[in-house]
Structures are given as structure tokens and as C-alpha cells.
Amino acid sequence: MAITMTLPLYRSSVMLASRSSKIVNTRFLSSSSSHPFVLSHPKDVDTIIGGGSGTKRGRIVCVTSGKGGVGKTTSAASFATGLASRGHKTCVVDFDIGLRNLDIHLGMERRVIFDFVNVLMEECSLSQALIKDKREKHLSMLAASQTRDKESLTVEGVEKVLSNLSKTFDYVVLDSPAGIESGARHAMYFADDAIIVTNP
């Protein structure tokens, strides 16, 4: 299988699809939200709020697949760690609401106090929910909730969180759940790039 990458530091059985690619220029089925699921993101995430049109923001990369068990979380954790080890401020976000496991891959399972849904529900601040890696100083993680379901995600809420993360981090890596259900579509909605993990 051919591998197309824009970042040279990561090699695996993955394909990187750019937002300009025909692969990601497709329309998803509408959700219960008022927003149609189109793979592009609103202006709030394109430029930092309060900044000029030339203000840079972090790049958002979604690690996804149509199938479970192919190594999405392993790929997301490795990719994010690789970016951080090269000096890029990186945050990796677990979108698998109800089935959290990114924290285990990164050795942070005992440090999770607040999660993604707590931030969405304004039960804590984003900075309170972020966990800094003890080995890579440029790496942080936002854990998924184990006790809520994917209906907790809204386009508006996800947009607000990712907009804030993209102000602080050079890269925001989204660990998508499998398939094309609500959790995966919310993860893909604001992505600049998609890393599609497959079994060779």
C-alpha cells in the first residue's frame, strides 16, 4: 500500500489525506446537529479569534479508520509523541467517548481527573483537563470520558475546544473512534488532515 505523508517523521500502514484532496472532499450524512457534516471547518478554527486574518493556528490531524482494532490509538499516540519529540507543541485528544484508552497508551491512566466531556459541559476549564506528559515536555493529552456517551459531543462544543487548543499547540492530533458514527464524524469535521489507518 502506498503511503503519502506531509510530515516525514512517521512511518506505518497509514495514508495521509489532505483537506485539499478529493478523498476528504466528501459530504457525510447529517447528524442531529443543525450543522451538515462537511469536511471543512468554520472560520473560528481557521484563524485565531481576535487575531488578524494572517494569525497562525495549530494544525489539526485526525487519525481514523472505518474499522476497529487496526491501531488508530497506537498510531495517534506514536504520531503525537514523534511530533513532540521534534519540538512541536502537541496535544492528542481521545474522541472515543465511553471507551477511553489513549491514556493507557501514554501511561497517564492514573492522572485523569477531568475529561473532554467535562470541558464541553463547562464542569472544568480546558487547562484543568489537559495532562502533560512526564517524558515529552511538548506533549499533552485530553482524555475521553468513560461514563458518558457520544451524544455528549456537539459541533459547537467540539469547535470551541479545538479552537482553544489550536491557539496553544502547533499540532492537535485527534484519536477517532472506528466507523462513521457520531464520535468519528465529530473528530473528522474540523481536521486539516486525516491519517487513515488500515490493515495491509
Side-chain angles (χ1 to χ4, degrees):
M1 176 180 136
I3 300 171
T4 307
M5 297 295 294
T6 58
L7 297 166
L9 59 94
Y10 184 73
R11 291 188 180 124
S12 183
S13 298
V14 298
M15 289 174 16
L16 183 79
S18 170
R19 276 171 38 80
S20 61
S21 165
K22 291 180 182 177
I23 295 173
V24 293
N25 256 343
T26 55
R27 184 176 294 270
F28 282 97
L29 296 173
S30 295
S31 72
S32 56
S33 168
S34 60
H35 290 265
F37 274 100
V38 180
L39 281 181
S40 64
H41 44 248
K43 195 173 180 181
D44 283 0
V45 184
D46 277 335
T47 56
I48 296 173
I49 300 166
S53 58
T55 306
K56 290 185 70 176
R57 65 163 176 83
R59 193 166 187 85
I60 299 172
V61 181
C62 178
V63 179
T64 189
S65 177
K67 183 181 181 300
V70 296
K72 291 181 300 301
T73 300
T74 302
S75 297
S78 299
F79 183 62
T81 302
L83 288 168
S85 70
R86 294 207 170 187
H88 301 290
K89 287 188 70 178
T90 305
C91 180
V92 58
V93 183
D94 193 343
F95 264 80
D96 205 351
I97 308 298
L99 295 170
R100 178 175 84 206
N101 67 349
L102 180 63
D103 54 322
I104 296 170
H105 281 69
L106 294 173
M108 300 182 184
E109 66 274 11
R110 296 188 180 187
R111 299 173 57 204
V112 178
I113 298 172
F114 297 111
D115 57 50
F116 193 4
V117 176
N118 292 136
V119 178
L120 292 176
M121 300 294 182
E122 299 183 348
E123 297 167 352
C124 69
S125 67
L126 181 57
S127 60
Q128 286 177 305
L130 287 174
I131 303 170
K132 287 186 71 73
D133 189 87
K134 291 181 177 179
R135 296 156 297 182
E136 289 292 343
K137 65 180 180 179
H138 297 297
L139 180 64
S140 296
M141 182 200 68
L142 180 58
S145 173
Q146 283 185 313
T147 58
R148 313 284 179 93
D149 60 30
K150 293 176 177 67
E151 299 308 311
S152 303
L153 298 178
T154 64
V155 171
E156 294 82 3
V158 171
E159 175 186 4
K160 184 178 179 181
V161 172
L162 294 184
S163 183
N164 287 327
L165 287 173
S166 66
K167 293 177 190 179
T168 308
F169 294 95
D170 300 322
Y171 289 93
V172 181
V173 179
L174 311 181
D175 179 22
S176 165
I180 53 170
E181 43 70 55
S182 171
R185 289 182 295 165
H186 278 95
M188 296 174 197
Y189 187 73
F190 294 101
D192 297 303
D193 305 286
I195 296 177
I196 302 167
V197 186
T198 63
N199 281 336

